[in-house]
Amino acid sequence: FPPAMSRILLRFSALAVLLVAGCSATKLTSVWENPTYQGGAFKKLMIIGLGATPGGRAEFENSVADALASQGVIGVASVGYFAAADEMTREAVRGWVVRDDYQGVLVARLQDVKRTQYVTPPQYTDLYGYWGYYGTAVTPGYVVDKTQFLISTDLFDASTGQVVYTAQSRTSDPGSRNQLIQELTTLLVKDLTKRGLLPPKP
């Protein structure tokens, strides 16, 4: 191809890389369920998000609360009790849980953010293609930055304080904070419902 066409191909390939990088996929990488728990589905939960920005915390907690409401479950965001995360001491959380008669507490915690960079070198049809006169790049070189968010979610039985359910999740290159939250919320509610820890949708 002539040099002008090669530049068009390079720009198109770079755009394709950006589009692929913008696609997010949230997955539950591991799930544990307490085999001794016999309490049935939870119908009133306090929701706590840890490790995020104040805005991210409120958005996550309210997202889960809305999803629970669609299944007839009362979910209350902890941001309504504690404006700042450092106010959530063990005694303070326990006091509100007991006072308002919660059956359980769902806690999501941002464990880690992993950033990696992949460099893919260009490939050419022949030696002369390298110089851009007689050939063209088959695959142009490019750099891809990949970001993964690792989140741990625990469901506690308020009556015993024991962990009932733990899920580890991984989100790769979310397009936005809202996208990550919506994907994680959907997966968690679906899995908890499947395991009988939340009532099914009416």
Side-chain angles (χ1 to χ4, degrees):
F1 293 117
M5 182 62 72
S6 297
R7 287 195 295 271
I8 292 174
L9 289 173
L10 286 169
R11 289 170 184 166
F12 178 81
S13 299
L15 176 61
V17 170
L18 290 174
L19 290 174
V20 171
C23 295
S24 173
T26 299
K27 297 180 180 179
L28 298 183
T29 56
S30 66
V31 174
W32 175 84
E33 187 177 352
N34 190 333
T36 65
Y37 176 72
Q38 302 293 328
F42 290 84
K43 296 181 179 178
K44 186 174 182 180
L45 294 173
M46 177 185 285
I47 305 153
I48 299 175
L50 299 175
T53 62
R57 172 192 162 203
E59 188 175 348
F60 169 77
E61 293 179 356
N62 288 322
S63 175
V64 175
D66 290 343
L68 294 178
S70 69
Q71 297 192 192
V73 177
I74 299 174
V76 180
S78 71
V79 71
Y81 292 101
F82 311 102
D86 57 10
E87 297 175 5
M88 289 188 288
T89 64
R90 178 193 295 183
E91 292 73 19
V93 172
R94 179 188 294 150
W96 282 112
V97 167
V98 172
R99 173 180 170 176
D100 288 351
D101 197 26
Y102 286 97
Q103 294 177 318
V105 181
L106 184 72
V107 182
R109 177 169 53 90
L110 179 63
Q111 286 188 307
D112 195 12
V113 179
K114 294 184 177 180
R115 294 183 174 88
T116 53
Q117 190 176 77
Y118 299 91
V119 180
T120 301
Q123 299 176 10
Y124 299 94
T125 55
D126 53 37
L127 170 63
Y128 301 102
Y130 175 83
W131 302 103
Y133 293 105
Y134 302 102
T136 183
V138 175
T139 304
Y142 52 84
V143 177
V144 176
D145 292 310
K146 190 175 184 64
T147 303
Q148 291 187 332
F149 295 85
L150 306 180
I151 297 174
S152 177
T153 304
D154 298 294
L155 175 60
F156 295 87
D157 180 4
S159 63
T160 64
Q162 298 300 307
V163 179
V164 172
Y165 169 95
T166 296
Q168 305 291 327
S169 63
R170 179 180 65 235
T171 302
S172 300
D173 296 319
S176 65
R177 182 176 71 190
N178 178 262
Q179 183 180 357
L180 185 159
I181 290 172
Q182 293 301 320
E183 290 181 355
L184 179 58
T185 298
T186 299
L187 283 177
L188 288 173
V189 172
K190 182 178 179 180
D191 194 56
L192 288 165
T193 303
K194 180 182 71 176
R195 296 172 186 276
L197 297 173
L198 290 177
K201 280 190 175 184

